[in-house]
């Protein structure tokens, strides 16, 4: 079998198009422009690239982008004051504090100071609780992107066996909640899981979010299964730097029914879902109907 490729880059473009259409309608019919504020503390190069890309894509879909760059030695009180200001600013519908934060700042405290309804990363404890209890919430962008691609490919996920490898708060756990919400039978695997290959072989859907290059080989994959590879790992091969996932694409694509590539799979969906969450937050803040298909 040769797997169908789930093209995240193309799918992300359709999500951005939907977002842009909705933003245009909000402006025209309601005189509202959704706004996304991104707070970056310090000069981590990867974070800078990511924040630039977010700002650019925010503007491209017609939304307002606000960037707050703060020094690496910013105090907790100063950062909290900026967040408080954004919480109270009606032009700001989404707030994202770029992680990781410098070590002297308490990440949990900072994230939980964001107004939950503006928490477009979905990391606030209220949103975690709402998602866990099946209520309307802000859903973390990366797992939301995975869910959108799975729904698009399969239609209904009801009754499917899903194995999520990884139990982080930003990917593994919310992914498992979302799959459970769509009536999958969900197993969460991690570094202490016994006989991981056998666990993965039972899956109709495998979501790999581990951070270990090409850890999941094709012979762990059940024939015809759908494989979502969240991993982004930079490796040296043949004297070149390359990006690879947590799944060995070469062998897995020979047995899987469908698979996301790296790059070009889950990655592009993450920012697209951030934009989707901002529009959703804007609609909720204004008591307007939410766009269809842009949240869980
Ligand atoms: P993380 O916080 O480091 O969590 C990794 C998880 O993998 C942990 O739960 C860990 O288990 C588990 N794990 C580690 N080694 C394992 C092994 N040998 N067998 C089974 N499980 C193992 O990572 P993360 O933030 O979730 O990110 C995971 C990957 O996704 C990374 O490559 C990251 O770059 C990528 N990512 C991509 C996007 C995107 O936009 N595409 C977004 C976020 C993350 P324990 O809990 O037992 O330690």
């Amino acid at each position: 079998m040769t797997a169908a490729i789930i093209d995240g880059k193309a799918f992300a473009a359709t999500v951005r198009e939907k977002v842009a259409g909705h933003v245009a309608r909000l402006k025209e019919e309601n005189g509202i422009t959704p706004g996304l504020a991104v707070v970056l503390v310090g000069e981590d190069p990867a974070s800078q690239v990511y924040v630039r890309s977010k700002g650019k894509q925010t503007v491209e879909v017609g939304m307002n982008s606000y960037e707050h760059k703060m020094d690496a030695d910013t105090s907790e009180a100063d950062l909290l004051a900026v967040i408080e200001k954004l919480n109270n600013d009606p032009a700001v519908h989404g707030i994202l504090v770029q992680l990781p934060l410098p070590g002297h700042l308490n990440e949990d405290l900072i994230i939980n100071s964001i107004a939950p309804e503006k928490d477009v990363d979905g990391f606030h404890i209220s949103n975690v609780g709402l998602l866990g209890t099946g209520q309307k919430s802000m859903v973390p962008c990366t797992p939301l992107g995975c869910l959108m691609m799975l729904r698009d490919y399969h239609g209904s996920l009801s009754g499917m066996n899903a194995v999520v490898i990884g139990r982080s708060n930003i990917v593994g756990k919310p992914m498992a909640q979302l799959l459970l919400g769509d009536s999958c039978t969900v197993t969460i695997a991690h570094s202490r899981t016994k006989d991981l290959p056998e666990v993965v072989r039972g899956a109709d859907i495998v979501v790999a979010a581990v951070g270990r290059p090409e850890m999941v080989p094709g012979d762990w994959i059940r024939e015809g299964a759908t494989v979502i590879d969240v991993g982004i790992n930079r490796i040296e091969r043949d004297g070149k730097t390359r990006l690879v996932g947590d799944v060995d694409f070469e062998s897995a694509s020979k047995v899987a029914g469908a698979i996301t590539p790296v790059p070009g799979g889950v990655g592009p969906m993450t920012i697209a879902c951030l934009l989707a969450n901002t529009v959703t937050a804007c609609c909720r803040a204004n008591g307007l109907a939410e766009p269809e298909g842009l949240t869980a």
Side-chain angles (χ1 to χ4, degrees):
M1 170 169 247
T2 304
I5 303 296
I6 300 178
D7 184 344
K9 199 171 165 205
F11 198 90
T14 68
V15 172
R16 286 196 302 272
E17 225 169 90
K18 264 194 211 166
V19 169
H22 212 81
V23 169
R25 272 195 298 283
L26 280 169
K27 285 184 190 178
E28 206 175 291
E29 293 168 17
N30 308 93
I32 300 166
T33 304
L36 171 64
V38 176
V39 182
L40 174 64
V41 185
E43 269 145 32
D44 177 63
S47 294
Q48 282 179 327
V49 172
Y50 200 39
V51 165
R52 242 196 323 273
S53 184
K54 282 172 186 165
K56 185 166 166 271
Q57 293 190 35
T58 303
V59 172
E60 276 169 5
V61 295
M63 304 200 291
N64 288 328
S65 167
Y66 308 100
E67 271 180 32
H68 293 264
K69 293 193 173 147
M70 305 182 76
D71 293 336
D73 60 357
T74 294
S75 70
E76 211 154 76
D78 285 350
L79 179 54
L80 288 170
V82 166
I83 294 170
E84 178 68 11
K85 215 167 147 210
L86 296 172
N87 283 342
N88 293 319
D89 184 345
V92 172
H93 304 97
I95 303 170
L96 180 149
V97 176
Q98 183 64 42
L99 301 178
L101 287 169
H104 67 285
L105 298 170
N106 178 339
E107 247 171 47
D108 289 339
L109 178 85
I110 300 298
I111 296 305
N112 290 326
S113 74
I114 298 171
E117 64 278 11
K118 295 191 179 188
D119 166 41
V120 281
D121 249 346
F123 297 158
H124 189 290
I125 192 76
S126 296
N127 282 315
V128 176
L130 290 167
L131 178 63
T133 49
Q135 300 180 68
K136 201 188 258 190
S137 65
M138 280 286 133
V139 179
C141 303
T142 300
L144 177 58
C146 298
L147 182 77
M148 282 184 186
M149 290 192 287
L150 283 167
R151 281 180 176 169
D152 182 67
Y153 186 75
H154 284 287
S156 169
L157 307 181
S158 180
M160 296 177 89
N161 287 329
V163 172
V164 179
I165 318 175
R167 56 175 162 178
S168 72
N169 289 337
I170 62 167
V171 189
K173 283 182 197 154
M175 185 75 248
Q177 294 287 4
L178 289 169
L179 291 166
L180 194 59
D182 270 28
S183 300
C184 290
T185 303
V186 184
T187 303
I188 308 178
H190 45 76
S191 66
R192 305 295 174 92
T193 297
K194 284 187 189 148
D195 202 353
L196 184 60
E198 214 37 50
V199 172
V200 176
R201 277 184 200 116
D204 304 309
I205 294 170
V206 180
V207 180
V210 185
R212 290 179 178 253
E214 299 172 329
M215 189 191 88
V216 180
D219 67 1
W220 292 14
I221 308 289
R222 176 194 278 187
E223 180 141 4
T226 300
V227 178
I228 304 290
D229 191 351
V230 182
I232 302 179
N233 309 289
R234 214 170 280 278
I235 60 158
E236 295 288 328
R237 186 173 288 157
D238 307 326
K240 286 187 192 151
T241 304
R242 298 186 46 183
L243 279 189
V244 298
D246 291 339
V247 175
D248 175 30
F249 185 85
E250 170 95 26
S251 58
S253 60
K254 292 196 173 90
V255 269
I259 187 166
T260 58
V262 178
V266 176
M269 286 296 288
T270 297
I271 297 185
C273 287
L274 175 69
L275 304 176
N277 275 350
T278 305
V279 173
T280 300
C282 177
C283 292
R284 288 179 188 170
N286 289 284
L288 299 167
E290 289 175 31
E292 296 259 314
L294 290 184
T295 191

